[in-house]
Amino acid sequence: MNIPRIQINQQFAKLGIESTGGQLSIETPVPKLEVSQKHVSVQMNHSDAQLEIDSRKAWSALGRARFEEVTDRIAQDSLQISMQNVANIASEGDRLMAFHNKQNAFAEIAREKMFREYPIQIAGPPSYDNVDVVYTPGELHTEWSPGSVSFQFERTKPQIDYYPGKVNPYLVQKNFIFFSSNGMQLDAIV
């Protein structure tokens, strides 16, 4: 028995795609940066230090005083000596008036005058602190003004250009379904 056969042939569609890529262009201009600087300023003024050494007392204690100082000392000591001489003359007069004491007042007074000293002190008093030292330190005045740095920045925007790509689809092969039968003709409805 010959059974009719149905044969089905099918072919799928084939698509082709042509595409060109998009292009992206980015340009970034260089940003501008300006730097300005104010320098630090320092001004310094100073006064000199002073050292004063006064050794007049030391030289005076060694007997080598200045002429003015020696004459001053002699004048002061002379006044004292003259006052002492007036006192001595007064006491000698009192002794000479006392002739009733039976002493030889003239001889005693002469002997005393022969060995009497009238010292005039030419040298100054010795001391461990005869040199005066005075030190005045110098002064330093400083004026300072700070420096600074300033920045000026100008930002630039990037320039972006985009060129889109293209996609072109096309049909390479069309799809189809083909039915065929072999054998006898079947004309039946089931």
Side-chain angles (χ1 to χ4, degrees):
M1 170 166 152
N2 226 355
I3 299 176
R5 283 190 277 163
I6 296 176
Q7 192 174 24
I8 301 172
N9 288 330
Q10 175 184 356
Q11 181 174 327
F12 294 106
K14 288 186 181 177
L15 295 177
I17 297 176
E18 275 184 12
S19 68
T20 56
Q23 290 183 347
L24 180 64
S25 169
I26 300 175
E27 291 182 11
T28 306
V30 179
K32 294 180 182 177
L33 176 65
E34 291 181 12
V35 180
S36 59
Q37 178 180 10
K38 179 184 172 189
H39 295 287
V40 175
S41 171
V42 178
Q43 293 180 347
M44 299 173 120
N45 297 323
H46 68 89
S47 61
D48 295 330
Q50 292 183 350
L51 177 64
E52 296 176 15
I53 300 174
D54 186 3
S55 59
R56 289 181 292 183
K57 290 182 196 173
W59 287 111
S60 176
L62 292 172
R64 300 196 179 255
R66 293 177 309 142
F67 177 74
E68 297 88 12
E69 191 176 338
V70 171
T71 55
D72 224 20
R73 246 188 230 132
I74 290 172
Q76 287 176 0
D77 287 351
S78 296
L79 180 65
Q80 217 172 12
I81 290 171
S82 64
M83 296 303 277
Q84 183 65 39
N85 279 340
V86 169
N88 286 346
I89 291 172
S91 78
E92 288 170 4
D94 290 342
R95 284 171 63 191
L96 288 173
M97 264 186 10
F99 56 88
H100 58 277
N101 283 344
K102 304 234 181 191
Q103 293 178 351
N104 190 354
F106 290 102
E108 286 178 12
I109 290 172
R111 189 178 50 232
E112 286 173 9
K113 279 191 175 182
M114 188 173 173
F115 296 109
R116 187 178 296 163
E117 292 183 9
Y118 298 102
I120 294 179
Q121 196 62 259
I122 301 241
S127 172
Y128 70 93
D129 192 23
N130 272 348
V131 178
D132 295 329
V133 177
V134 177
Y135 175 73
T136 306
E139 293 182 1
L140 178 65
H141 301 285
T142 304
E143 291 181 17
W144 180 77
S145 60
S148 62
V149 178
S150 62
F151 297 95
Q152 295 203 348
F153 179 72
E154 186 179 324
R155 185 182 303 167
T156 55
K157 292 183 178 180
Q159 183 178 359
I160 301 172
D161 292 325
Y162 177 69
Y163 304 102
K166 293 182 182 177
V167 176
N168 187 15
Y170 60 92
L171 186 64
V172 174
Q173 180 179 341
K174 198 172 180 183
N175 60 340
F176 66 89
I177 295 177
F178 180 70
F179 295 94
S180 64
S181 67
N182 282 345
M184 43 186 226
Q185 286 231 319
L186 180 61
D187 202 7
I189 296 176
V190 180

